[in-house]
């Protein structure tokens, strides 16, 4: 069924691209690669045949490739940035600058042709600039053939060799990868430290490596009977010193693999039919955690299927490797020497990226908060269920991180390019925490039920495509009926803050109370005002935001809808038919789902300590 689903999706996408070229379109790149890895010196050679389809309305006279292993050389942009930023990534620091030639990484192209004709190209850091022999016209295909060679860097960031957990090879960002071209033009971003944007396509990859190594990779192994290594019940002895592993991956925008001579390989078939593969070191200290992880990974998969949409491929792999955790097509590499809670947590986050990046493939350099933030949101929801935490708000950590950033004076708009944040910490809080709050708070704005429907509709409309922030907010508008451009603008394109206050509370005759609210911050929001009475009764006074042109339906009992609040008015008066002496407390947003930067002024009576 999954293969049928994937085939239908590909057909629908191709028809959409062909028939609707004036609106949405996307490029396509099919790769065939054969690679030989020398595990003695960690150098490799490869050939690549790439069939590129120009679905754009533009004529292309040049293309660009990413050569990301070149970042692991002294003097590279990654090296210099790490040594000059105020808070360098501790995994990098100044280590690149100290690598010897044998420890460095590199990726070099030795020949390149277009439809058989030699083309001119120049290596510029981590980018290969290619001048075409013949322009690629709209709707045309061309074939590039390449020979390349590389050296795997000592483990530093995401990719590399002989990691701190003694994983031999973490092969991520390892091959010459065609840059994406979309409605904004080319995205030939240098590899400085952040993440990626890629072209959808099919991959056919043959990897030849020492026969004692087990390989985990994107895609489906085509020659399991020749390989063994946990892919079959029998061990297979290779002729000679090497095995050639043949993988095929349909409709992905990256290809990653990892290899180690001590990998244990387990397989679990999930309830939905997905083959879950696990690769981890033969280490007694971690085996139990990795065995227990397998049922939790299935639970996580089923949760994401339910809350977002069905995982469309037949296989997903969790492999010990690299540093931290990093998502790739059909596979994630994570560090494995963790406590169980952390192991499940990192798996939850990276598996969620299979949806928010490898299905809804945003440009991570420009809209990193959509990728990391949406993933942080849904993985926190998943952990809350799978680990049976049952927190009322599983996103409190994200809120705390965002509020700390907002009050630090170091915040930059989320439209900042991922590489150009002043601080790494500001990038992290903005992309992960503020991105997660974007969704959690959207649930406050349009209602949790509408938010849940929005995520599913987003999947239905944008799987196997490259959505932008506007594409997402338009889905939320269609689902809810609310006008939400103000929310996208203020939250993601500015550093405007939410700060509402209870300005005054006073008697208004014998049987009523006048409450005056004040907007102090520049960002507008609808308001839910909680009024608690001394007799135990409770009311929610809902004040719609006028520019939304919409009102949220009642979410609790005693929900009272008030008149709209127009943003330009700094204050709002509300009269409740309750004597002041019967009121226990009044609070703006008692759910604390609105990311108000100063909650001290949200409560009456004031919770601030009196000063003498």
């Amino acid at each position: 069924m999954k293969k049928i689903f994937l085939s239908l999706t590909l057909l629908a996408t191709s028809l959409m691209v062909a028939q609707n070229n004036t609106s949405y379109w996307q490029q396509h790149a099919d790769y065939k690669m054969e690679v030989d890895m020398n595990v003695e010196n960690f150098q490799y050679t490869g050939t690549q045949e790439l069939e590129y389809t120009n679905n754009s309305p533009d004529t292309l006279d040049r293309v660009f490739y990413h050569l990301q292993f070149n970042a692991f050389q002294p003097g590279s942009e990654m090296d210099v940035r790490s040594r000059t930023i105020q808070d360098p990534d501790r995994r990098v620091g100044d280590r690149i600058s100290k690598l010897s030639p044998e420890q460095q990484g590199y990726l070099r192209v030795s020949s390149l042709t277009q439809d058989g004709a030699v083309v001119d190209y120049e290596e510029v850091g981590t980018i290969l600039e290619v001048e075409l022999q013949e322009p690629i016209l709209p709707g045309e295909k061309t074939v590039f053939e390449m020979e390349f060679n590389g050296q795997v860097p000592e483990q530093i960031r995401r990719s590399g060799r002989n990691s701190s957990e003694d994983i031999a090879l973490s092969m991520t960002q390892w091959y010459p990868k065609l840059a994406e071209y979309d409605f904004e033009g080319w995205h030939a971003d240098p590899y400085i430290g952040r993440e990626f944007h890629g072209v959808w396509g099919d991959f056919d990859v043959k990897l030849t490596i020492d026969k004692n190594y087990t390989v985990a990779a994107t895609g489906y192994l085509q020659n399991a009977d020749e390989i063994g290594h946990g892919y079959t019940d029998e061990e297979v002895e290779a002729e000679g010193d090497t095995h050639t592993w043949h993988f095929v991956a349909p409709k992905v925008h990256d290809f990653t693999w990892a290899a180690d001579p001590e990998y244990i390989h387990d397989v679990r078939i999930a309830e939905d039919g997905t083959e879950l593969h696990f690769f981890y070191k033969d280490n007694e200290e971690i085996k139990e955690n990795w065995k227990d992880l397998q049922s939790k990974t299935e639970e996580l998969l089923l949760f994401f299927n339910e809350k977002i949409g069905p995982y469309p491929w037949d296989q997903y792999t969790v492999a010990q490797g690299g540093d931290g955790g990093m998502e790739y097509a059909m596979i994630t590499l994570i560090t494995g020497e963790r406590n169980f809670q952390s192991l499940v947590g990192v798996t939850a986050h990276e598996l969620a990226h299979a949806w928010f990046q490898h299905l809804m493939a945003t440009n991570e350099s420009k809209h990193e908060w959509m990728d990391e933030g949406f993933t942080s949101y849904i993985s926190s929801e998943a952990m809350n269920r799978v680990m049976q935490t049952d927190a009322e708000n599983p996103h409190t950590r994200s809120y705390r991180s965002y509020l700390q950033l907002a009050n630090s004076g170091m915040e930059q708009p989320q439209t900042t390019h991922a590489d150009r944040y002043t601080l790494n910490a500001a990038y992290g809080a903005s992309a992960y925490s503020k991105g997660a709050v974007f969704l959690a708070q959207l649930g406050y704005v349009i209602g949790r039920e509408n938010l849940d429907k929005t995520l599913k509709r987003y999947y239905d409309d944008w799987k196997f495509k490259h959505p932008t922030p506007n594409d997402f907010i338009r889905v939320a508008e269609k689902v809810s009926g609310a006008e939400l451009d103000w929310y996208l603008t203020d939250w993601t394109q500015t550093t405007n803050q939410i700060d509402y206050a209870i300005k005054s509370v006073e008697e208004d005759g014998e049987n009523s109370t006048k409450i005056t609210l004040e907007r102090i911050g520049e960002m507008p929001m609808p308001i839910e005002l909680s009024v608690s009475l001394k007799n135990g009764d409770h009311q929610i006074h809902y004040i719609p935001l006028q520019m939304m042109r919409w009102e949220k339906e009642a979410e609790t009992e005693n929900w009272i809808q008030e008149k709209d609040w127009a943003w330009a008015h700094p204050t709002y008066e509300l009269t409740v038919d309750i004597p002041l002496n019967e009121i226990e407390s009044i609070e703006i947003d008692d759910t604390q789902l609105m990311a108000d930067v100063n909650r001290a002024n949200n409560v009456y009576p004031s919770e601030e300590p009196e000063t003498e």
Side-chain angles (χ1 to χ4, degrees), residues 501-532:
I502 298 174
K503 186 175 184 179
S504 64
V505 177
E506 55 190 358
E507 291 183 352
D508 187 30
E510 293 184 4
N511 297 312
S512 61
T513 300
K514 184 172 73 174
I515 305 168
T516 301
L517 305 180
E518 181 179 15
R519 177 184 55 76
I520 299 171
E522 292 301 314
M523 181 165 176
M525 287 292 283
I527 298 299
E528 295 176 22
L529 187 71
S530 171
V531 180
S532 298

Side-chain angles (χ1 to χ4, degrees), residues 507-579:
E507 291 183 352
D508 187 30
E510 293 184 4
N511 297 312
S512 61
T513 300
K514 184 172 73 174
I515 305 168
T516 301
L517 305 180
E518 181 179 15
R519 177 184 55 76
I520 299 171
E522 292 301 314
M523 181 165 176
M525 287 292 283
I527 298 299
E528 295 176 22
L529 187 71
S530 171
V531 180
S532 298
L533 279 59
K534 293 178 180 178
N535 65 6
D537 289 344
H538 185 78
Q539 297 178 348
I540 296 292
H541 293 261
Y542 173 63
I543 304 171
L545 179 64
Q546 190 177 86
M547 66 178 69
M548 286 179 67
R549 315 298 172 191
W550 177 86
E551 294 82 32
K552 185 165 67 171
E553 294 183 2
E555 294 191 320
T556 66
E557 295 182 359
N558 300 318
W559 179 278
I560 302 169
Q561 183 170 308
E562 304 291 350
K563 66 181 186 296
D564 292 352
W565 188 346
W567 171 83
H569 295 278
T571 60
Y572 180 99
E573 290 186 356
L574 169 68
T575 300
V576 296
D577 296 328
I578 305 169

Side-chain angles (χ1 to χ4, degrees), residues 90-91 155 157-159 165 172-173 195-196 316 318-328 331-336 338 342-343 345-351 353 364 371-372 375 432:
R90 68 181 184 277
R91 294 166 291 193
Q155 180 63 44
R157 192 67 184 97
R158 297 190 178 101
S159 53
E165 295 184 358
T172 69
Q173 297 104 248
E195 298 177 33
F196 321 107
Y316 188 81
V318 181
Q320 184 181 0
D323 65 321
M326 183 63 197
E327 75 284 355
Y328 294 95
I331 186 174
T332 182
L333 271 58
I334 63 175
T335 46
R338 302 164 173 262
S342 176
L343 190 64
V346 71
T347 302
H349 184 88
E350 307 308 339
L351 175 57
H353 275 302
E364 295 178 89
D371 166 55
E372 295 298 351
T375 292
Y432 291 77

Side-chain angles (χ1 to χ4, degrees), residues 298-312:
E298 178 180 354
E299 290 182 58
L300 292 166
L301 174 76
L302 299 178
F303 180 88
F304 298 141
N305 284 346
E306 171 193 343
K307 295 299 183 180
I308 312 170
Y311 179 76

Side-chain angles (χ1 to χ4, degrees), residues 187-258:
H187 296 278
D189 294 303
Y191 184 30
I192 298 175
R194 304 302 181 206
E195 298 177 33
F196 321 107
H197 194 31
V199 189
W200 292 107
D202 301 333
F203 284 74
D204 186 318
V205 181
K206 293 179 179 178
L207 306 169
T208 299
I209 193 171
D210 185 295
K211 67 180 181 182
N212 295 313
Y213 279 62
T214 298
V215 176
T218 295
Y220 310 118
L221 182 63
Q222 301 298 292
N223 58 338
D225 291 342
E226 301 172 12
I227 295 297
H229 290 268
Y231 283 94
T232 65
D233 292 334
E234 297 180 1
E235 285 302 311
V236 179
E237 183 64 29
E239 294 184 10
D241 297 326
T242 62
H243 274 309
T244 295
W245 301 66
H246 183 194
F247 293 93
V248 171
K251 197 59 176 177
V252 294
H253 53 82
D254 204 359
F255 187 96
T256 288
W257 57 286

